[in-house]
Structures are given as C-alpha cells and as structure tokens.
Amino acid sequence: MSDLTIRPGREFFTARTVSDALAGFRPTRRTTIESVPLAAALHRVPAADVLAPEALPGFPRSTVDGYAVRAADTYGASEGLPTYLDLAGAVRMGAAPTVTVPPGGCVAVPTGAVLPEGADAVVMVEYTAATMPGSIEVTRPVAPGAGLVRADEDVASGATLITAGRPLRSAELGLLAAAGVGAVDVHARPRVAIISTGDEVVPSATPVLAAGQVRDATASALAGLVTEAGGEPVVVGIVPDDRVALERVLRDALGSASIGADLVVVSAGSSVGARDETAGAVAALGTIWCHGLALKPGKPTLLAECGGVPLIGLPGNPLSALVVFRLVGAPLVWRLGGCAAPPPEPTTRARLSRDLASAAGRVDIVQVRVRGEVAEPLFGPSALLSVLTRADGYVVVPEPATGLDADSEVEVVLYR
C-alpha cells in the first residue's frame, strides 16, 4: 500500500490507471472460515484444498452396456469373420460380481456395473449378437481398457478433489458428494457496508419527491453487484453532505460488531469540489491509496484502507458508480472472500456498428447492445441508469488506444 495520505481540508487528485488499481490495491484482509453443508456451498470459496478420502469410482466399472471380455479373445473379429465367446453369466447393478471371465468367455454387464475378475475390456452390445443359447458373437475387436474406467481413474486416493480459492461450481459439489464429503470449510461471505451520501438523496421508498430530490437507486444496484460477487451487502443508509456526520457513520461501519464490514463503499461525494467531504473524512480514519482513476466514466474514484478495512469512494452518478464497482469493487469482494482470482465473466465477439472515440492514457468503458454479430454503442449522461438497463454488456477501449474503428472486431463483456 502507498503511504500517500490526504490531509483534511486539502485536495489531492492522484489518478492511477485501472491496471495499477487492480494490481496495486490489494488489502490483505480475508474473511473468517466457516463450515457449510454441500447444499449451501454453491459459489462459496474453499479455505483449503480438499483431498479425496478414497479412490473414485472405487472399483473398475463398465461405461457401456455390453459384455466384459478378455481383449485378446476379440482380436481379429469382424463382421465377416466374427469371434464366438461363451457366456459365463451376468453382473447385476449395485452388486459385486459372482462370476469371473474365463479365457474364451464373456459376462454380460450394464453401464456402471462392477467389472468382473478376468476381464480387461467391455465390448459394446451393438457389436455383438446372441446367435445361440450360451454363446455370443463378437463382430469388432477391442483393446485392453476399452469400455471401462479404472478404480481410481476419476480421482486417486489422496488426490486433490477441490482447490482452495476457487468458487465451487455444481460439478465440484457433485465430486465432493461422490467422495462422501458432506461439508466443506469456506470463507465467510464478505460483508460490504454501503453508505450513500448527498443532501439531495432520499430513500428509494419515498413516494413523492420534493424539488431537487433523487431516490437512492445506486445502493440497491450496488447491493446486487455485491451479491453477484459472493458478498453480503449491508445497506447502512444515507448521510448528508456533512463531514462530521460522514466521519461518524464511517467510524461506526468500520468498528461496529453489528455491521462487521470487510469492505466499506461510499456512494457519491467522491468528486473533487467544494462539497466533497468524503476524502477528508476518510483521511481522518486511514490512508488513501489514490483519489482518481484514469477511467471514463468513473474518474473521481477513491481507494483507501482504514484500520485494515478497504474502502471505495464511488462517483456520484449511478452509471459511473456501477461501472467502477464492477471493474474494481467486485474483484476486491471476491479477493476478500478468499478467491484467488475472480471467476471470468462471459464474453462474445462482435463488430462495432460505428466509430468509438477515446483519449490515450485512460480506459473507456462503452455500453453496447448486441444484435447478432454487431455491437451497437449506447451513449447517454452518466446519471442515466437506463443506459445500463438497455445494454447487453460493455466494450473496453484500452489505455493506449485513441479509439476504435467501425467494423472492428471487439470483445464484449456480457452482463449475466
């Protein structure tokens, strides 16, 4: 962390690149560890590797319906010159075999059944025929290992079932269940305190607005983004444009056991100006890492750490605030919750419908609507949330670029 500190009453605007922020602003705080049952473990982040207590599937089993054979007995078989094997019996699902495969013989097996002793392959039923009682005709040879899985082919005993730091998907839950693991130690969901500021901001449930008032839309949207990033939003409420009041609420959010914030997000009040009280209040409580990102929209962003708790000061305009939080805040929430790397967002390739102008030295985030293979840029003031609601995703114009040409192929990051 940088030792840059903003003194109360003194304005700084130390802009950093987005890549610098993602690489350099990395608080060490991590959430506590708790044990949860598999039914509640989807998307949770394991705190440690989980090792397989036993091999999986645990026994050699057939992967097809057919006949367990000694592979060498099928060599040379063809439709014109089939091989004939004696049927020694059958294996029932869910039961141990009571018969072995002798030389020149075979045993009927369904998919998933235990492979009987003596067999080293399974011939699919499609390549066999029952021509006479007690005998099977084989019309295609098989190699050893065909049509079966070994006892430890899925997972060897003691091997890593799941890796720490990677959010659990449904497939991992299935693998844990197959291994008999009923609960897993995971990081607690990061608690994110969301504080809205502004004399003009009123609760979203306000039925009738007075002149100049706006409902607090950003807090609800931020709560959704926090949840998507594996966190637990705690909406603290609205604070007027008063430094003393904001500092008091920040102290409470940082130190209150009832809130227990792992991250504090201040919505609005981060723009440099006469009414900007956020920087002064934050500087009184901790260290500001930067005040300003080379980003459009979202330049007036504040990143800080207060008593070991990271804090993000977002721009006042809703669209800007949500763009910044998606780029910088969401990865931080994942990291606080023990995630080694945020899960990748879905993307698609498309062609731009028009030119995009930009300025070198900053990242531009452009909202787009995708129609077939075409990405249509959407423009509007950063105070308008409808630009986001109409968008299917966004395009990143990188720092070195001065724009993108129409018909350029771009990667569109899609909203889930």
Side-chain angles (χ1 to χ4, degrees):
M1 301 291 290
S2 168
D3 61 357
L4 168 67
T5 301
I6 292 186
R7 306 297 180 189
R10 186 179 177 186
E11 291 184 352
F12 281 77
F13 207 91
T14 308
R16 301 288 188 99
T17 66
V18 174
S19 56
D20 281 347
L22 292 174
F25 186 66
R26 302 179 71 87
T28 58
R29 184 184 184 90
R30 296 295 182 270
T31 58
T32 57
I33 298 170
E34 59 188 16
S35 180
V36 298
L38 288 191
L42 185 64
H43 300 155
R44 301 299 297 272
V45 181
D49 292 351
V50 177
L51 305 183
E54 58 190 28
L56 292 178
F59 56 87
R61 63 193 298 181
S62 173
T63 60
V64 296
D65 291 333
Y67 295 90
V69 300
R70 295 172 183 255
D73 290 339
T74 69
Y75 294 165
S78 66
E79 292 186 4
L81 190 63
T83 293
Y84 294 89
L85 301 176
D86 296 328
L87 182 60
V91 176
R92 293 189 302 108
M93 283 294 295
T98 58
V99 63
T100 61
V101 176
C106 64
V107 171
V109 291
T111 300
V114 182
L115 197 72
E117 286 190 30
D120 61 1
V122 179
V123 179
M124 293 177 64
V125 69
E126 291 88 339
Y127 305 128
T128 66
T131 57
M132 62 186 73
S135 180
I136 297 298
E137 179 182 277
V138 179
T139 59
R140 180 175 294 188
V142 290
L148 60 87
V149 293
R150 303 185 307 273
D152 63 352
E153 190 163 341
D154 203 1
V155 179
S157 178
T160 301
L161 277 175
I162 58 172
T163 304
R166 179 181 176 182
L168 293 172
R169 302 169 299 176
S170 55
E172 281 85 21
L173 298 186
L175 189 60
L176 288 168
V181 178
V184 61
D185 289 341
V186 298
H187 284 273
R189 298 185 188 278
R191 289 175 62 82
V192 181
I194 300 172
I195 301 171
S196 302
T197 69
D199 293 334
E200 78 284 8
V201 182
V202 297
S204 59
T206 302
V208 180
L209 297 177
Q213 291 183 331
V214 294
R215 295 184 181 91
D216 186 4
T218 306
S220 296
L222 287 173
L225 289 177
V226 168
T227 302
E228 287 180 0
E232 181 181 342
V234 181
V235 179
V236 175
I238 302 168
V239 183
D241 289 319
D242 177 85
R243 179 181 157 185
V244 174
L246 178 57
E247 188 174 328
R248 182 175 62 251
V249 172
L250 286 175
R251 287 185 186 278
D252 186 54
L254 292 165
S256 169
S258 61
I259 297 177
D262 298 295
L263 170 65
V264 175
V265 178
V266 181
S267 169
S270 64
S271 298
V272 172
R275 301 177 67 196
D276 178 15
E277 303 294 348
T278 303
V282 172
L285 302 176
T287 301
I288 293 179
W289 189 80
C290 79
H291 190 186
L293 291 179
L295 173 68
K296 182 183 179 183
K299 182 178 180 181
T301 295
L302 182 150
L303 301 176
E305 194 166 4
C306 302
V309 178
L311 181 146
I312 302 177
L314 296 174
N317 287 320
L319 187 152
S320 299
L322 300 182
V323 166
V324 171
F325 192 83
R326 186 179 289 275
L327 287 182
V328 180
L332 183 56
V333 175
W334 280 114
R335 192 177 301 116
L336 291 168
C339 186
E345 295 184 281
T347 62
T348 190
R349 304 294 296 183
R351 292 180 296 103
L352 281 176
S353 66
R354 53 164 292 174
D355 293 341
L356 284 181
S358 181
R362 76 180 184 206
V363 170
D364 277 24
I365 304 297
V366 181
Q367 306 301 315
V368 297
R369 181 167 47 200
V370 179
R371 293 294 179 265
E373 298 180 354
V374 177
E376 176 189 347
L378 302 175
F379 299 103
S382 55
L384 302 183
L385 279 173
S386 61
V387 176
L388 280 176
T389 61
R390 290 186 288 124
D392 297 306
Y394 63 89
V395 170
V396 177
V397 183
E399 293 166 11
T402 56
L404 298 175
D405 295 330
D407 290 327
S408 296
E409 186 178 63
V410 295
E411 182 178 73
V412 179
V413 181
L414 298 172
Y415 295 133
R416 291 184 175 89

Coordinates of all heavy atoms in Angstrom, one line a residue, residues 197-199 239-249 275 277-278 281:
T197 N -24.4 9.1 0.2 CA -24.2 10.5 0.7 C -24.9 11.5 -0.2 O -25.1 11.2 -1.4 CB -22.8 10.9 0.9 OG1 -22.2 11.0 -0.4 CG2 -22.0 9.8 1.6
G198 N -25.3 12.6 0.3 CA -25.8 13.7 -0.5 C -27.1 14.3 0.1 O -28.0 13.5 0.5
D199 N -27.2 15.6 0.2 CA -28.3 16.3 0.7 C -29.6 16.0 -0.1 O -30.7 16.1 0.4 CB -28.1 17.8 0.8 CG -27.0 18.1 1.9 OD1 -26.8 17.3 2.8 OD2 -26.4 19.2 1.7
V239 N -26.3 9.6 4.3 CA -25.6 10.6 5.1 C -25.6 11.9 4.3 O -25.3 12.0 3.2 CB -24.2 10.2 5.4 CG1 -23.5 11.2 6.4 CG2 -24.2 8.8 6.0
P240 N -26.0 13.0 5.0 CA -25.9 14.3 4.3 C -24.5 14.7 4.0 O -23.5 14.1 4.5 CB -26.6 15.3 5.3 CG -26.4 14.6 6.6 CD -26.4 13.2 6.4
D241 N -24.4 15.8 3.2 CA -23.1 16.3 2.8 C -22.5 17.1 4.0 O -22.4 18.3 4.0 CB -23.2 17.3 1.6 CG -23.5 16.5 0.3 OD1 -22.9 15.4 0.2 OD2 -24.3 16.9 -0.5
D242 N -22.1 16.3 5.0 CA -21.5 16.9 6.2 C -20.4 16.0 6.7 O -20.6 14.8 7.0 CB -22.6 17.0 7.3 CG -22.0 17.5 8.6 OD1 -22.0 18.8 8.7 OD2 -21.7 16.7 9.5
R243 N -19.2 16.6 6.7 CA -18.0 15.7 7.0 C -18.1 15.1 8.4 O -17.7 13.9 8.6 CB -16.7 16.6 6.9 CG -15.5 15.8 7.2 CD -14.2 16.6 7.2 NE -13.2 15.9 8.0 CZ -12.0 16.4 8.2 NH1 -11.7 17.6 7.7 NH2 -11.2 15.8 9.0
V244 N -18.5 15.8 9.4 CA -18.6 15.3 10.7 C -19.6 14.1 10.8 O -19.3 13.1 11.4 CB -19.0 16.4 11.7 CG1 -19.3 15.8 13.1 CG2 -18.0 17.5 11.8
A245 N -20.7 14.3 10.1 CA -21.7 13.2 10.1 C -21.2 12.0 9.3 O -21.3 10.8 9.8 CB -23.0 13.7 9.4
L246 N -20.5 12.2 8.2 CA -20.0 11.1 7.4 C -18.9 10.4 8.2 O -18.8 9.1 8.2 CB -19.4 11.6 6.1 CG -18.8 10.6 5.2 CD1 -19.7 9.4 4.9 CD2 -18.3 11.2 3.9
E247 N -18.0 11.1 8.9 CA -16.9 10.5 9.6 C -17.5 9.7 10.8 O -17.0 8.5 11.0 CB -16.0 11.6 10.2 CG -14.8 11.0 10.9 CD -13.8 12.1 11.3 OE1 -13.8 13.2 10.6 OE2 -13.1 11.9 12.3
R248 N -18.6 10.1 11.4 CA -19.2 9.4 12.5 C -19.8 8.0 11.9 O -19.6 7.0 12.5 CB -20.3 10.2 13.1 CG -21.0 9.5 14.3 CD -22.0 10.4 15.0 NE -23.1 10.8 14.1 CZ -23.2 12.0 13.6 NH1 -22.4 13.0 13.9 NH2 -24.2 12.4 12.8
V249 N -20.4 8.1 10.8 CA -21.0 6.9 10.2 C -19.9 5.9 9.7 O -20.0 4.7 9.9 CB -22.0 7.3 9.0 CG1 -22.4 6.0 8.3 CG2 -23.2 8.0 9.5
R275 N -18.1 20.6 -2.2 CA -19.0 19.8 -1.3 C -18.4 18.4 -1.1 O -19.1 17.6 -0.5 CB -20.4 19.8 -1.9 CG -21.0 21.1 -2.1 CD -22.4 21.0 -2.7 NE -23.3 20.3 -1.8 CZ -24.5 19.8 -2.1 NH1 -24.9 19.9 -3.4 NH2 -25.3 19.2 -1.3
E277 N -16.8 15.9 0.8 CA -16.4 15.7 2.2 C -15.8 14.3 2.4 O -15.2 14.0 3.4 CB -17.6 15.8 3.1 CG -18.3 17.2 3.1 CD -17.4 18.3 3.6 OE1 -16.4 18.0 4.2 OE2 -17.8 19.5 3.3
T278 N -15.9 13.4 1.4 CA -15.5 12.0 1.6 C -14.0 11.9 1.8 O -13.6 11.2 2.7 CB -15.9 11.2 0.3 OG1 -17.3 11.3 0.1 CG2 -15.5 9.8 0.5
A281 N -13.0 13.0 5.3 CA -13.5 12.1 6.4 C -12.7 10.8 6.3 O -12.3 10.3 7.4 CB -15.0 11.8 6.2

